[in-house]
């Protein structure tokens, strides 16, 4: 199966050029580049869009303008209408996550459609879509702006893409167990000399607790080396002041 | 098992009041209400925050201000530093999704920490965290603003709220962060007295390494209490044999 093409983002009757710019920026963060505008209120191009795009100029430069939503999604096999909630529309309502899974599973081109800033998509726009996508938000406070809605959708889509793999930071792996044992020996030796294990009959239990705590640290070779230094430093200071004690 | 409390959002040295407002709005959309500010540049309250919050006033009204990040997360058991990428910091790097899973799995309070708008978190801030959270973005265009980073983190967290997660009782949960800080203070005090920090110009780097090692231990309240006892025992032995040294 061929890889599904990246979805297009369609803004229906967007009002502010600035919002078109912030949408472009939101898209490009997650690797979406194809923006389509249906009857933008203030025409296109819009001088307010560029500065708001913060460098996502390639998205704006390639944006295409259409008269109707039907025209804008004419080449798309799957159309997702993003809404808060739509009364009386009987279509599947998906989370952004479920929608992204479908977008990746299809071989055709998908479109995510967003309505005007204030009113959202009207019923005719929604009727044209195959599915509804709704971001589950706080029922007591739903206040996503246009770019935020786009970024959540784009973010979910990007998870299915190879490019979005998390950065690989080589972690310092935990040290081999023997190194931990050596540290415990070192520590116990010095603690014993300092009279830590008292009363003697509790020594076994105390040692077990100490071992448990040190075992869960996940310390690396370098961490353990540092801890040897710490124990040695405290121990040395003690011994040197004790003089001929041992 | 008791449900994990909702995480707190910590903004370190935020610059613009407007951005604090948009963060509050982003949070409330996904049910997060606890905002903490570390040394906000323009003081607090900030008149620019309210209008930008678009009605999320309850979040701003309850926001608390702290002098340091350590103070802000003193009651938190898990601290997540959000960064783009951090060189030379050896901590687990999680996606927002993986972090949210952890936040839901712990019984303590978690904190998501965000840096200043321009520079992001500095190395000392990151050193204090237990994990790093990085939103996987387009390597050729990474341009998330503060509120967008917050909304993605909050959105991922909110997903786990709907789910009835299987109860898992952690045997001995990690201690609140303040306890770890107290232990570090105690250890550093005694190490300093023993001449551990030499040469002096390397002290900052050494302290950071030490903090990183102790931060990843996952030590519980009881573990930390035991460690205090260990440090005290070694320190006391040293002092008592030194006689009139101090």
């Amino acid at each position: 199966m061929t890889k599904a093409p990246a979805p297009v983002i369609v803004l229906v009757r967007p009002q502010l050029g600035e919002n078109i710019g912030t949408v472009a920026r939101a898209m490009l963060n997650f690797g979406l580049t194809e923006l389509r505008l249906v009857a933008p209120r203030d025409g296109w191009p819009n001088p307010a869009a560029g500065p708001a795009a913060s460098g996502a100029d390639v998205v704006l430069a390639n944006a295409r303008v259409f008269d109707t939503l039907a025209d804008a999604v004419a080449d798309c096999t799957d159309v997702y209408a993003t809404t808060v909630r739509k009364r009386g529309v009987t279509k599947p309502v998906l989370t952004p996550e479920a929608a992204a899974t479908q977008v990746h599973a299809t071989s055709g081109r998908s479109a995510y459609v967003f309505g005007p800033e204030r009113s959202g998509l009207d019923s005719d726009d929604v009727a044209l879509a195959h599915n509804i996508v709704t971001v589950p938000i706080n029922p007591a406070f739903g206040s996503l702006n246009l770019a935020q809605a786009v970024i959540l959708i784009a973010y979910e889509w990007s998870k299915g893409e190879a490019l979005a793999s998390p950065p690989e930071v080589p972690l310092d792996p935990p040290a081999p167990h023997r190194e931990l044992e050596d540290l415990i020996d070192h520590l116990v030796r010095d603690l014993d000399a300092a009279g830590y294990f008292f009363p003697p009959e509790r020594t076994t239990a105390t040692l077990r607790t100490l071992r448990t705590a040190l075992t869960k640290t996940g310390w690396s070779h370098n961490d353990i080396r540092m801890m040897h230094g710490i124990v040695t430093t405290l121990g040395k200071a003690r011994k040197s002041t004790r003089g001929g004690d041992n």
Side-chain angles (χ1 to χ4, degrees), chain A:
Chain A
M1 178 179 139
T2 54
K3 189 167 172 296
V8 304
I9 298 293
V10 183
L11 304 185
V12 177
R13 299 181 297 282
Q15 300 176 299
L16 296 174
E18 185 193 342
N19 291 336
I20 300 172
T22 56
V23 163
R25 176 184 178 184
M27 290 170 60
L28 195 54
N29 268 295
F30 295 103
L32 294 182
T33 56
E34 200 166 336
L35 178 62
R36 299 180 181 181
L37 308 173
V38 176
R41 187 189 69 185
D42 299 335
W44 191 255
N46 184 319
S54 300
D57 304 305
V58 61
V59 177
L60 297 177
N62 293 326
R64 293 166 61 197
V65 180
F66 298 84
D67 289 337
T68 68
L69 175 58
D71 289 343
V73 299
D75 62 337
C76 298
T77 55
D78 296 270
V79 177
Y80 297 84
T82 63
T83 71
V84 176
R85 185 165 308 205
K86 223 64 198 179
R87 315 130 300 270
V89 176
T90 51
K91 293 182 191 270
V93 177
L94 306 175
T95 62
E97 206 168 6
T101 303
Q102 284 197 14
V103 167
H104 282 290
T106 186
S107 60
R109 179 172 292 267
S110 296
Y112 287 112
V113 182
F114 297 81
E117 288 92 331
R118 288 201 170 274
S119 53
L121 290 169
D122 68 26
S123 297
D124 286 340
D125 298 326
V126 175
L128 193 145
H130 305 94
N131 295 282
I132 291 175
V133 183
T134 297
V135 179
I137 47 179
N138 182 354
F141 183 82
S143 172
L144 286 181
N145 69 28
L146 182 55
Q148 286 170 338
V150 169
I151 210 166
L152 291 173
I153 295 292
Y155 163 74
E156 280 291 2
W157 172 80
S158 77
K159 283 188 191 172
E161 291 296 288
L163 77 91
S165 55
E168 216 43 58
V169 175
L171 267 189
D172 230 5
H177 187 71
R178 174 177 299 279
E179 296 190 17
L180 195 62
E181 288 293 328
D182 289 346
L183 176 64
I184 292 172
D185 285 350
H186 185 179
L187 185 56
V188 166
R189 221 160 39 232
D190 277 23
L191 283 173
D192 195 23
Y196 182 74
F197 299 103
F198 187 85
E201 60 270 26
R202 292 212 61 251
T203 299
T204 304
T206 303
L207 277 177
R208 189 175 301 136
T209 309
L210 179 63
R211 177 182 300 280
T212 298
L214 291 176
T215 300
K216 72 177 167 188
T217 57
W219 279 339
S220 66
H221 171 77
N222 284 331
D223 290 333
I224 286 181
R225 208 173 51 174
M226 176 173 64
M227 294 305 160
H228 274 293
I230 285 175
V231 176
T232 300
T233 300
L234 293 172
K236 253 189 201 153
R238 184 165 51 75
K239 279 183 203 142
S240 67
T241 53
R242 271 195 172 173
D245 248 27
N246 32 340

